[in-house]
């Protein structure tokens, strides 16, 4: 399979062909009689680039995650301006983030969910397909010109294919990124690096060498004491994900049960691959040498941050926002301390990034929405707000001349100096999210690389420029399961995952020797990993035969 760089673009003819194919696949249902009488309030001739505005005032119910960092407010300027631009009022069912998934599941299963159900991560939507509570949104993609245009122009159809069910349809509208991008990495105390005469590591082997020098100079310190573990599943965290990705494996946050082997043209079980074993070998070496705090897999964020703030560690997981909002504030009491996000080290997989980062969480549509006479207008509204450049700019940055000035495509964008967001204008009195409701994770995700870069400092843009040079690994081919198959693998998945995560921690900490790897693989087989793979590979062959 061909590997694409982040700057890879389709030719105009290729994009047009993909768009035509997408429309041909989806237009039959969306143009049929099931929506002919559901166009009240919709725009005639709505196309990519158009500003959506309903022809009459409309109200659409939406499930609204209330983020702890910026709790939901009905009087946010976001909602008032949204109505002014689109003639649509959103009727929000606000749910705290801690309860969101459970509340969503209960409401969808009971048929009580609002029409628009955002903040859903694939494959969570699969649990609701059999019950018929959510729409096959691919049937109505032709009603969404901005969505289909971006899928075509950004060559996202292979990614979208991964969301398809056995019937060849997808039930989730994901956020779309123009290119793969990497936010998470490791933050390092650069003052310590300078004092010890160390250079930034290019590879994970280089990182090990850096950590050894830190340990040599500070024997009482674990150079890395990490955060973002998720008890009671200590096998899931950011550090494992970063190391595994560099080995072309799936671990930590990036865990998925199956791994595509292109050479064999079949799926293997992720927790038993050679790449997974190599990942654990690397982690164990760090632990054995005292370079990685063994509590990194179980401790809370607060404890990890305290160690970093007290100079008991020098490296910690970070992204662009936590670097500025947390890590730099945490070390402020250490004289001369400085911290920066390191360019993500390279591993055996080479200078690559996984292609899966091009799709985000997305939107499910309640089956009840299809009963509304305003269904077409609702799909046009969703298309504009979540997928048009103008809608994305609005949901991300707000109102030109009030919250921001300039444009993202020519680099002239500036957030109003009286408003802060992330690391921008940190001393400002107003907060873009808390006080205005913009840059809300329910609405603001996906978009062009230029828009992504608009939220970054010059320092982060340098990081992103280096990441942009890396090749993007192709995504796995689709292998959608039938309802019966999904029910069967679900019965096996929990026990398999628990065993993988428990032994991931044991191998990483040296509580179980890696010489027992073959025995561990046999244990997975005893828990039906082979049968699991048989079902997945049969599904892959079936889908390939039916859909090419």
């Amino acid at each position: 399979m061909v590997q694409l760089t982040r700057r890879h673009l389709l030719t105009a003819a290729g994009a047009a062909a993909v768009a035509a194919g997408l429309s041909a696949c989806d237009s039959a249902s969306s143009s049929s009689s099931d929506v002919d009488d559901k166009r009240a309030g919709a725009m005639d001739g709505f196309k990519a680039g158009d500003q959506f505005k309903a022809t009459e005032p409309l109200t659409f119910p939406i499930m609204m995650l209330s983020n702890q960092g910026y709790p939901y407010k009905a009087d946010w300027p976001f909602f008032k301006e949204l109505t002014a631009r689109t003639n649509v009022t959103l009727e929000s069912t606000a749910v705290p983030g801690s309860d969101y998934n459970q509340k969503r599941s209960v409401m969808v299963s009971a048929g009580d969910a609002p029409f628009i159900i955002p903040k859903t991560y694939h494959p969570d939507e699969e649990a609701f397909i059999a019950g018929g509570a959510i729409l096959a949104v691919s049937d109505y993609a032709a009603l969404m010109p901005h969505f289909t245009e971006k899928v075509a122009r950004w060559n996202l159809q292979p990614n979208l294919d991964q969301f398809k069910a056995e019937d060849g349809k997808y039930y989730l509208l994901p956020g779309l990124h123009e290119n793969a991008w990497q936010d998470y990495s490791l933050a390092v105390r650069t003052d310590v690096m300078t004092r010890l005469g160390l250079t930034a590591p290019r590879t994970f082997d280089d990182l090990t060498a850096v950590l050894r020098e830190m340990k040599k100079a500070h024997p009482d310190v674990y150079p890395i004491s990490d955060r973002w573990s998720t008890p009671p599943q200590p096998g899931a965290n950011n550090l494992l994900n970063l190391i595994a990705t560099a080995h072309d494996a799936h671990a930590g946050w990036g865990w998925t049960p199956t791994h595509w082997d292109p050479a064999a043209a079949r799926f293997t079980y992720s927790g038993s691959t050679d790449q997974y074993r190599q990942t654990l070998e690397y982690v164990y070496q760090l632990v054995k040498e005292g370079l990685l705090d063994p509590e990194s897999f179980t401790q809370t964020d607060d404890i990890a941050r305290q160690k970093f703030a007290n100079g008991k560690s020098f490296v910690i997981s970070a992204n662009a926002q936590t670097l500025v909002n947390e890590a730099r504030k945490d070390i402020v009491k250490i004289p001369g301390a400085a911290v920066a996000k390191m360019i993500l080290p390279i591993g055996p997989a080479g200078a690559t990034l996984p292609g899966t980062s091009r799709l985000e969480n997305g939107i499910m549509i309640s089956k009840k929405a299809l009963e509304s006479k305003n269904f077409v207008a609702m799909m046009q509204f969703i298309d504009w707000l979540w997928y048009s450049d103008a809608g994305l700019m609005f949901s991300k940055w707000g109102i030109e001349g009030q919250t921001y000035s300039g444009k993202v495509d020519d680099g002239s964008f500036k957030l109003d100096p009286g408003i802060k967001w992330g690391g921008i204008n940190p001393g400002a009195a107003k907060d873009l999210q808390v006080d205005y409701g913009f840059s809300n994770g329910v609405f603001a995700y996906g978009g062009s690389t230029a828009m992504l870069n608009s939220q970054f400092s010059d320092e982060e843009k340098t990081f992103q420029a280096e990441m942009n040079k890396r090749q993007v690994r192709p995504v796995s081919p689709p292998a959608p399961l039938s309802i019966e198959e999904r029910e069967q693998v679900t019965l096996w998945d929990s026990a398999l995952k628990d065993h993988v995560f428990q032994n991931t921690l044991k191998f990483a900490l040296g509580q179980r020797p890696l010489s027992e790897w073959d025995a561990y693989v046999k244990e997975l087989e005893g828990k039906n990993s082979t049968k699991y793979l048989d079902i997945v590979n049969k599904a892959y062959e079936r889908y390939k035969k039916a859909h090419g």
Side-chain angles (χ1 to χ4, degrees):
M1 299 178 72
V2 177
Q3 290 186 326
L4 306 174
T5 68
R6 288 184 62 179
R7 294 181 297 278
H8 175 83
L9 296 174
L10 291 175
T11 63
V18 174
L22 186 64
S23 297
C25 291
D26 297 324
S27 62
S29 294
S30 62
S31 62
S32 64
S33 59
D34 66 343
V35 297
D36 283 348
D37 59 347
K38 306 179 192 306
R39 298 180 180 273
M43 293 176 59
D44 291 332
F46 182 59
K47 62 185 185 299
D50 287 351
Q51 163 69 52
F52 170 78
K53 188 159 190 176
T55 58
E56 60 185 77
L58 300 176
T59 298
F60 297 132
I62 184 172
M63 193 164 180
M64 185 80 186
L65 184 146
S66 182
N67 192 295
Q68 184 179 4
Y70 45 94
Y72 166 78
K73 296 177 184 177
D75 61 350
W76 271 330
F78 169 86
F79 292 116
K80 182 178 179 181
E81 182 66 20
L82 181 66
T83 300
R85 295 190 184 199
T86 65
N87 214 10
V88 169
T89 299
L90 289 176
E91 183 181 82
S92 300
T93 298
V95 182
S98 57
D99 298 330
Y100 190 80
N101 287 353
Q102 181 179 1
K103 181 75 170 178
R104 181 192 61 201
S105 180
V106 170
M107 293 183 74
V108 172
S109 298
D112 295 331
F115 287 0
I116 305 172
I117 312 163
K119 293 302 287 184
T120 298
Y121 290 81
H122 177 73
D124 288 357
E125 80 280 6
E126 292 179 353
F128 309 113
I129 294 174
I134 60 173
L135 283 181
V137 290
S138 56
D139 284 347
Y140 306 97
L143 298 174
M144 306 179 66
H146 295 98
F147 174 82
T148 54
E149 189 271 341
K150 280 185 167 59
V151 169
R153 180 158 52 90
W154 293 347
N155 193 27
L156 284 166
Q157 192 60 50
N159 301 68
L160 201 58
D161 284 346
Q162 289 198 311
F163 282 36
K164 287 183 177 178
E166 186 191 20
D167 58 8
K169 301 178 181 182
Y170 50 90
Y171 292 74
L172 183 71
L173 288 167
L176 309 177
H177 284 284
E178 179 180 5
N179 290 306
W181 70 290
Q182 181 72 35
D183 186 14
Y184 290 85
S185 185
L186 296 171
V188 60
R189 282 275 302 277
T190 51
D191 60 306
V192 175
M193 296 276 288
T194 299
R195 176 163 49 82
L196 297 178
L198 302 173
T199 57
R202 192 184 74 85
T203 68
F204 270 97
D205 286 342
D206 294 341
L207 175 61
T208 302
V210 166
L211 298 175
R212 284 171 177 159
E213 292 301 314
M214 290 179 170
K215 185 71 175 180
K216 187 186 300 182
H218 301 273
D220 59 335
V221 165
Y222 287 110
I224 302 179
S225 186
D226 210 26
R227 63 181 306 184
W228 286 330
S229 290
T230 53
Q233 292 185 333
N237 69 4
N238 177 59
L239 181 61
L240 275 172
N241 180 43
L242 295 179
I243 297 171
T245 299
H247 286 77
D248 190 22
H250 310 297
W253 281 354
W255 168 258
T256 60
T258 57
H259 176 82
W260 175 249
D261 182 346
R266 63 183 284 107
F267 287 92
T268 57
Y269 193 72
S270 294
S272 60
T273 64
D274 287 342
Q275 297 98 312
Y276 200 93
R277 177 181 51 79
Q278 291 164 10
T279 297
L280 297 184
E281 286 175 344
Y282 180 85
V283 176
Y284 170 62
Q285 188 67 32
L286 298 185
V287 172
K288 184 175 73 169
E289 295 187 30
L291 309 179
L292 172 62
D293 185 352
E295 294 182 355
S296 295
F297 303 100
T298 54
Q299 67 189 357
T300 65
D301 276 17
D302 286 345
I303 291 175
R305 290 177 61 190
Q306 286 171 14
K307 292 177 180 178
F308 191 71
N310 294 331
K312 298 298 183 182
S313 68
F314 302 136
V315 182
I316 192 170
S317 282
N319 61 23
Q321 289 195 53
T322 61
L323 175 69
V324 175
N325 295 340
E326 297 177 359
R328 285 189 173 144
K329 293 180 180 179
D330 288 344
I331 61 170
V332 70
K333 293 183 179 179
I334 301 177
V339 60
K341 196 168 74 166
M342 70 173 66
I343 301 300
L344 188 63
I346 296 168
T352 62
L353 293 174
T356 51
S357 64
R358 298 187 67 197
L359 298 186
E360 279 262 16
N361 67 82
I363 304 163
M364 296 188 297
I365 305 295
S366 169
K367 191 72 170 289
K368 294 189 305 182
L370 192 57
E371 301 170 7
S372 170
K373 66 179 182 179
N374 307 124
F375 176 76
V376 173
M378 186 190 76
M379 297 303 288
Q380 292 177 346
F381 166 76
I382 290 171
D383 181 61
W384 178 82
L385 181 57
W386 274 275
Y387 299 104
S388 75
D389 291 342
L392 288 164
M393 191 67 191
F394 166 72
S395 61
K396 179 69 178 176
W397 293 120
I399 306 166
E400 186 174 9
Q402 295 185 32
T403 60
Y404 75 90
S405 61
K407 302 183 182 300
V408 299
D409 53 4
D410 64 6
S412 63
F413 166 83
K414 297 290 183 184
L415 186 64
D416 184 277
I419 302 172
K420 62 185 174 184
W421 182 87
I424 303 175
N425 306 330
K430 294 286 188 178
D431 187 288
L432 187 68
Q433 295 171 311
V434 175
D435 298 305
Y436 293 88
F438 296 109
S439 200
N440 187 307
V442 172
F443 307 103
Y445 51 81
S448 67
T449 299
M451 183 168 292
L452 178 68
N453 288 341
S454 71
Q455 70 190 55
F456 295 143
S457 64
D458 290 342
E459 175 186 20
E460 180 63 16
K461 288 175 183 176
T462 300
F463 174 88
Q464 292 297 329
E466 288 300 313
M467 293 297 100
N468 288 352
K469 297 174 183 177
R470 301 191 178 183
Q471 289 185 311
V472 178
R473 300 200 291 269
V475 295
S476 304
L481 306 181
S482 68
I483 294 171
E484 294 78 12
E485 288 170 337
R486 192 178 301 115
E487 289 175 349
Q488 180 60 72
V489 299
T490 298
L491 293 175
W492 298 330
D493 184 63
S494 180
L496 281 166
K497 180 179 177 181
D498 287 347
H499 197 67
V500 170
F501 280 19
Q502 290 167 12
N503 282 275
T504 292
L505 189 59
K506 289 178 181 179
F507 284 129
L509 298 182
Q511 296 169 352
R512 184 175 188 180
L514 279 157
S515 59
E516 295 185 9
W517 180 260
D518 290 344
Y520 154 75
V521 172
K522 288 290 185 183
E523 291 161 8
L524 292 177
E525 292 171 356
K527 295 180 182 295
N528 299 299
S529 65
T530 301
K531 292 179 180 178
Y532 190 117
L533 289 173
D534 286 344
I535 288 178
V536 173
N537 281 306
K538 286 177 183 176
Y540 159 69
E541 294 292 346
R542 183 177 63 234
Y543 185 90
K544 183 173 68 169
K545 183 178 180 180
H547 302 283

